[in-house]
Protein backbone atom coordinates (compact mmCIF):
# COMPACT_ATOMS: atom_id res chain seq x y z
CA UNK A 1 0.00 0.00 0.00
CA UNK A 2 1.49 3.29 -1.11
CA UNK A 3 1.80 5.65 1.86
CA UNK A 4 3.34 9.11 2.01
CA UNK A 5 3.92 11.25 5.08
CA UNK A 6 2.95 14.88 4.46
CA UNK A 7 3.02 18.21 6.25
CA UNK A 8 0.69 21.16 5.71
CA UNK A 9 -1.03 24.03 7.48
CA UNK A 10 0.32 25.08 10.88
CA UNK A 11 2.81 22.24 11.43
CA UNK A 12 0.17 19.56 10.84
CA UNK A 13 1.25 16.03 10.05
CA UNK A 14 -0.63 13.49 7.98
CA UNK A 15 -0.44 10.40 5.81
CA UNK A 16 -1.69 10.05 2.25
CA UNK A 17 -2.69 6.63 0.99
CA UNK A 18 -3.06 5.95 -2.69
CA UNK A 19 -2.90 8.27 -5.65
CA UNK A 20 -6.17 7.39 -7.29
CA UNK A 21 -8.00 9.46 -9.84
CA UNK A 22 -11.53 8.79 -8.60
CA UNK A 23 -11.46 11.53 -5.99
CA UNK A 24 -10.06 12.59 -2.64
CA UNK A 25 -11.10 11.73 0.91
CA UNK A 26 -10.09 13.30 4.23
CA UNK A 27 -10.45 11.29 7.45
CA UNK A 28 -10.50 12.99 10.87
CA UNK A 29 -9.85 11.17 14.13
CA UNK A 30 -11.56 10.96 17.52
CA UNK A 31 -10.57 12.89 20.63
CA UNK A 32 -8.25 10.24 22.06
CA UNK A 33 -6.86 8.07 19.27
CA UNK A 34 -5.12 9.81 16.40
CA UNK A 35 -4.77 9.07 12.73
CA UNK A 36 -3.09 5.71 13.39
CA UNK A 37 -6.20 4.11 14.90
CA UNK A 38 -7.02 0.82 13.22
CA UNK A 39 -10.46 2.01 12.12
CA UNK A 40 -9.03 4.95 10.23
CA UNK A 41 -6.12 3.02 8.74
CA UNK A 42 -8.42 0.27 7.48
CA UNK A 43 -10.73 2.87 5.97
CA UNK A 44 -7.88 4.69 4.25
CA UNK A 45 -6.34 1.51 2.85
CA UNK A 46 -9.67 0.23 1.52
CA UNK A 47 -10.50 3.53 -0.18
CA UNK A 48 -7.03 3.61 -1.73
CA UNK A 49 -7.81 0.19 -3.18
CA UNK A 50 -10.95 1.75 -4.66
CA UNK A 51 -8.67 4.27 -6.45
CA UNK A 52 -9.21 7.25 -4.12
CA UNK A 53 -6.49 9.49 -2.71
CA UNK A 54 -6.95 9.53 1.06
CA UNK A 55 -5.52 11.88 3.70
CA UNK A 56 -5.71 11.15 7.38
CA UNK A 57 -4.03 13.58 9.76
CA UNK A 58 -3.65 14.55 13.40
CA UNK A 59 -5.26 17.69 14.72
CA UNK A 60 -2.70 20.09 16.12
CA UNK A 61 -3.46 19.34 19.77
CA UNK A 62 -2.10 15.81 19.29
CA UNK A 63 1.34 17.26 18.53
CA UNK A 64 1.16 19.32 21.73
CA UNK A 65 -0.06 16.33 23.76
CA UNK A 66 -3.01 18.35 24.98
CA UNK A 67 -6.77 17.93 24.97
CA UNK A 68 -9.03 19.03 22.13
CA UNK A 69 -10.95 22.28 22.40
CA UNK A 70 -14.57 22.44 23.49
CA UNK A 71 -16.74 21.54 20.54
CA UNK A 72 -13.71 21.32 18.26
CA UNK A 73 -13.70 25.04 17.49
CA UNK A 74 -9.92 25.39 17.60
CA UNK A 75 -9.53 22.34 15.35
CA UNK A 76 -11.65 23.75 12.53
CA UNK A 77 -8.71 25.67 10.96
CA UNK A 78 -6.78 22.38 10.88
CA UNK A 79 -9.50 20.76 8.80
CA UNK A 80 -9.73 23.80 6.52
CA UNK A 81 -5.98 23.47 5.93
CA UNK A 82 -6.38 19.76 5.14
CA UNK A 83 -9.12 20.53 2.63
CA UNK A 84 -7.00 23.14 0.87
CA UNK A 85 -4.06 20.73 0.81
CA UNK A 86 -6.11 18.00 -0.83
CA UNK A 87 -7.76 20.40 -3.28
CA UNK A 88 -4.32 21.47 -4.45
CA UNK A 89 -3.69 17.85 -5.40
CA UNK A 90 -7.03 16.97 -6.97
CA UNK A 91 -10.82 17.14 -6.70
CA UNK A 92 -13.12 18.48 -4.00
CA UNK A 93 -12.94 16.02 -1.09
CA UNK A 94 -15.33 13.76 0.77
CA UNK A 95 -15.04 14.08 4.56
CA UNK A 96 -15.13 11.17 7.01
CA UNK A 97 -15.29 12.10 10.68
CA UNK A 98 -14.73 9.77 13.61
CA UNK A 99 -16.49 10.92 16.82
CA UNK A 100 -14.78 14.22 17.77
CA UNK A 101 -13.59 14.56 14.18
CA UNK A 102 -17.20 14.21 13.08
CA UNK A 103 -18.11 17.25 15.17
CA UNK A 104 -15.38 19.26 13.48
CA UNK A 105 -16.47 18.10 10.01
CA UNK A 106 -20.11 18.94 10.69
CA UNK A 107 -19.21 22.57 11.45
CA UNK A 108 -16.55 23.12 8.80
CA UNK A 109 -18.78 21.89 5.98
CA UNK A 110 -21.23 24.70 6.73
CA UNK A 111 -18.55 27.23 5.78
CA UNK A 112 -17.69 25.65 2.44
CA UNK A 113 -19.31 24.73 -0.86
CA UNK A 114 -16.55 22.42 -2.06
CA UNK A 115 -17.28 19.25 -0.03
CA UNK A 116 -18.85 16.39 -1.99
CA UNK A 117 -20.21 14.26 0.87
CA UNK A 118 -19.87 13.61 4.59
CA UNK A 119 -19.66 10.37 6.60
CA UNK A 120 -19.86 10.02 10.38
CA UNK A 121 -18.33 7.18 12.36
CA UNK A 122 -20.11 7.37 15.71
CA UNK A 123 -21.43 10.94 15.77
CA UNK A 124 -21.29 11.95 19.47
CA UNK A 125 -24.75 13.37 20.01
CA UNK A 126 -23.96 13.73 23.72
CA UNK A 127 -21.01 13.44 26.09
CA UNK A 128 -19.78 10.28 27.76
CA UNK A 129 -20.97 10.94 31.31
CA UNK A 130 -24.24 9.44 32.56
CA UNK A 131 -25.60 12.93 33.23
CA UNK A 132 -24.55 14.33 29.84
CA UNK A 133 -27.15 16.50 28.14
CA UNK A 134 -27.90 16.12 24.42
CA UNK A 135 -25.91 18.52 22.28
CA UNK A 136 -27.54 20.86 19.81
CA UNK A 137 -27.26 19.34 16.34
CA UNK A 138 -29.78 21.58 14.59
CA UNK A 139 -27.03 22.87 12.30
CA UNK A 140 -26.97 19.50 10.52
CA UNK A 141 -30.22 20.52 8.80
CA UNK A 142 -28.24 23.11 6.85
CA UNK A 143 -26.02 20.49 5.21
CA UNK A 144 -27.05 19.77 1.61
CA UNK A 145 -24.60 17.06 0.51
CA UNK A 146 -25.17 13.32 1.08
CA UNK A 147 -24.51 12.15 4.65
CA UNK A 148 -23.76 8.69 6.03
CA UNK A 149 -24.19 7.76 9.69
CA UNK A 150 -22.56 4.56 10.96
CA UNK A 151 -23.54 3.91 14.57
CA UNK A 152 -23.06 1.12 17.09
CA UNK A 153 -26.32 -0.14 18.58
CA UNK A 154 -24.84 0.21 22.08
CA UNK A 155 -23.15 3.56 21.51
CA UNK A 156 -23.73 5.56 24.71
CA UNK A 157 -22.63 8.76 22.98
CA UNK A 158 -25.18 8.30 20.21
CA UNK A 159 -28.40 6.80 21.63
CA UNK A 160 -30.49 5.43 18.81
CA UNK A 161 -33.68 7.17 19.91
CA UNK A 162 -31.85 10.50 19.95
CA UNK A 163 -30.30 9.71 16.56
CA UNK A 164 -33.74 9.13 15.06
CA UNK A 165 -34.84 12.57 16.22
CA UNK A 166 -31.79 14.19 14.64
CA UNK A 167 -32.24 12.29 11.37
CA UNK A 168 -35.85 13.45 11.19
CA UNK A 169 -34.71 17.07 10.98
CA UNK A 170 -32.31 16.61 8.05
CA UNK A 171 -33.00 17.70 4.49
CA UNK A 172 -29.91 16.22 2.81
CA UNK A 173 -29.83 12.71 1.30
CA UNK A 174 -29.17 10.53 4.36
CA UNK A 175 -28.07 6.93 4.86
CA UNK A 176 -28.03 5.53 8.40
CA UNK A 177 -26.55 2.13 9.22
CA UNK A 178 -26.63 0.51 12.67
CA UNK A 179 -24.04 -2.16 13.53
CA UNK A 180 -23.58 -4.27 16.67
CA UNK A 181 -21.20 -2.67 19.13
CA UNK A 182 -20.26 0.36 21.17
CA UNK A 183 -18.95 3.81 20.22
CA UNK A 184 -15.88 2.20 18.64
CA UNK A 185 -17.86 -0.64 17.01
CA UNK A 186 -16.38 -3.08 19.50
CA UNK A 187 -16.15 -5.95 20.03
CA UNK A 188 -16.64 -7.29 16.50
CA UNK A 189 -18.06 -4.71 14.10
CA UNK A 190 -15.10 -2.51 13.18
CA UNK A 191 -14.59 -4.29 9.84
CA UNK A 192 -18.32 -4.10 9.12
CA UNK A 193 -18.32 -0.36 9.80
CA UNK A 194 -15.37 0.08 7.43
CA UNK A 195 -17.12 -1.97 4.75
CA UNK A 196 -20.30 0.11 5.02
CA UNK A 197 -18.45 3.42 4.89
CA UNK A 198 -16.09 2.57 2.05
CA UNK A 199 -18.85 1.07 -0.12
CA UNK A 200 -20.92 4.20 0.42
CA UNK A 201 -18.01 6.43 -0.61
CA UNK A 202 -17.38 4.18 -3.59
CA UNK A 203 -21.00 4.66 -4.73
CA UNK A 204 -20.92 8.42 -4.13
Amino acid sequence: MKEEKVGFGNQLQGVVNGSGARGSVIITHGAGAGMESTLLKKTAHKLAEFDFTVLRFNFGYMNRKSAPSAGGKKEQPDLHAAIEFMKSHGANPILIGRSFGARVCANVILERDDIKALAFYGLPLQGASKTAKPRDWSHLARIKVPILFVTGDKDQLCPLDRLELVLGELTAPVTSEIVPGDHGFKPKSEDLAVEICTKWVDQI
Side-chain angles (χ1 to χ4, degrees):
M1 175 64 62
K2 179 180 178 181
E3 189 165 281
E4 177 187 3
K5 292 183 179 180
V6 297
F8 58 92
N10 186 16
Q11 298 183 330
L12 298 174
Q13 302 297 317
V15 173
V16 173
N17 287 106
S19 55
R22 293 191 57 209
S24 64
V25 179
I26 299 171
I27 306 176
T28 58
H29 61 77
M35 66 179 178
E36 295 300 326
S37 74
T38 57
L39 177 71
L40 303 193
K41 290 178 71 174
K42 288 178 180 178
T43 302
H45 294 171
K46 190 66 176 180
L47 288 172
E49 291 177 5
F50 287 164
D51 204 27
F52 288 92
T53 304
V54 187
L55 168 69
R56 64 185 197 276
F57 72 98
N58 281 337
F59 289 118
Y61 75 86
M62 297 290 288
N63 301 333
R64 300 186 295 271
K65 298 183 180 179
S66 60
S69 65
K73 292 182 179 179
K74 292 183 179 179
E75 286 68 41
Q76 291 180 28
D78 295 350
L79 181 52
H80 281 294
I83 293 169
E84 294 303 324
F85 173 79
M86 289 300 278
K87 285 184 64 179
S88 70
H89 291 76
N92 293 347
I94 294 170
L95 303 183
I96 299 175
R98 164 79 184 112
S99 191
F100 172 77
R103 296 185 73 184
V104 180
C105 288
N107 284 289
V108 165
I109 196 171
L110 297 176
E111 301 175 8
R112 310 189 66 104
D113 59 3
D114 52 3
I115 305 302
K116 294 183 64 176
L118 179 60
F120 296 132
Y121 276 139
L123 183 67
L125 297 183
Q126 62 189 40
S129 71
K130 293 182 179 180
T131 59
K133 296 181 180 180
R135 293 168 174 144
D136 180 9
W137 289 96
S138 59
H139 56 288
L140 293 183
R142 294 162 49 199
I143 298 175
K144 303 303 180 184
V145 301
I147 311 173
L148 169 69
F149 294 78
V150 184
T151 311
D153 63 354
K154 297 179 178 61
D155 187 346
Q156 296 183 354
L157 278 69
C158 189
L160 297 186
D161 56 349
R162 172 65 178 160
L163 177 62
E164 285 301 314
L165 292 176
V166 171
L167 294 177
E169 299 297 321
L170 304 188
T171 58
V174 172
T175 302
S176 178
E177 297 285 352
I178 309 300
V179 303
D182 61 12
H183 189 58
F185 312 120
K186 305 294 185 183
K188 298 180 178 180
S189 292
E190 184 174 85
D191 288 343
L192 176 58
V194 171
E195 180 182 2
I196 290 170
C197 183
T198 54
K199 283 188 175 180
W200 181 83
V201 172
D202 186 40
Q203 293 170 355
I204 291 293

